């Protein structure tokens, strides 16, 4: 996957190198850190990423790093590894939204499979975010009247109903719809309706 990256935080150099060799072998970039103090959360935001965290680290521990990532709004999935089989820690990590949890010694194939799944999830999240931001930028080009009409379309109302509620003629509503289609790059009335429903749904949730 283009631009994909795995960030590994573990104080055991052999483990760091093992995971690095594993992910690099399938064409994924890998960056390693020996402690939570040297880990940079900003590296998770440069593209589709997954974070592989050791639970027990010198200084800042794995759970604390996970909490810091959440607090900073980082969205890369976190996979925990531990050599202690700490069930309580695993439960806490999963409650905080960890993607998976592995005990050392881990199965390399299984870990790689989950890392790739985590990266795929993050890529999908980033694509959705970009799409939402792109749509919001287009919607900002609409006038207040056009937004009123778009809201009506998102609620499933007909041109006639929208016109009556806004005290406009049906022809005026159709005129605004034509302008909105150009501003929103909608290729058809169906496209415009889909955008309207998507926007209305996002505002209602």
């Amino acid at each position: 996957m283009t631009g994909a990256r795995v960030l590994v935080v573990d104080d055991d150099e052999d483990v760091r190198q093992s995971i690095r060799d594993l992910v690099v072998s399938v064409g994924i970039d890998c960056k390693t850190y020996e402690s939570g103090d040297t880990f940079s959360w900003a590296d998770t935001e440069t593209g589709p990423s997954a974070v592989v965290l050791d639970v027990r680290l010198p200084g800042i521990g794995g759970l604390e790093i996970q909490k810091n990532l959440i607090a900073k709004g980082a969205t890369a999935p976190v996979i925990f590894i531990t050599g202690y089989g700490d069930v309580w820690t695993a439960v806490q990590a999963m409650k905080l939204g960890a993607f998976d949890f592995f005990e050392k010694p881990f199965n390399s194939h299984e870990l790689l499979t989950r890392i790739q799944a985590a990266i795929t999830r993050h890529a999908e999240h980033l694509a959705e975010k970009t799409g939402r931001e792109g749509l919001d930028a287009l919607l900002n080009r609409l006038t207040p009247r056009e937004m009123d009409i778009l809201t009506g379309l998102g609620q499933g109302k007909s041109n006639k109903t929208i016109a009556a509620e806004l005290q406009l003629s049906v022809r005026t509503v159709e005129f605004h719809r034509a302008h909105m289609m150009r501003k929103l790059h909608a290729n058809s009335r169906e496209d415009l309706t889909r955008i309207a429903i998507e926007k209305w749904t996002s505002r209602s949730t």
Side-chain angles (χ1 to χ4, degrees), residues 193-205:
T193 300
R194 175 186 56 77
I195 292 171
I197 293 173
E198 180 178 338
K199 186 59 180 175
W200 170 251
T201 302
S202 67
R203 284 188 170 186
S204 300
T205 55

Side-chain angles (χ1 to χ4, degrees), residues 21-65:
D21 291 344
L22 185 66
V23 299
V24 169
S25 70
V26 293
I28 300 174
D29 184 33
C30 184
K31 191 167 184 178
T32 62
Y33 310 83
E34 63 183 13
S35 70
D37 296 316
T38 60
F39 174 70
S40 173
W41 74 272
D43 287 337
T44 68
E45 303 305 298
T46 59
S49 307
V51 181
V52 179
L53 276 176
D54 190 8
V55 169
R56 297 178 184 269
L57 293 165
I60 302 174
L63 281 178
E64 189 173 349
I65 292 175

Side-chain angles (χ1 to χ4, degrees), residues 107-128:
N107 180 291
S108 297
H109 175 73
E110 291 179 0
L111 177 61
L112 180 59
T113 297
R114 294 303 287 161
I115 287 174
Q116 290 173 312
I119 290 174
T120 297
R121 175 183 288 185
H122 195 216
E124 292 171 349
H125 169 81
L126 294 177
E128 290 174 2

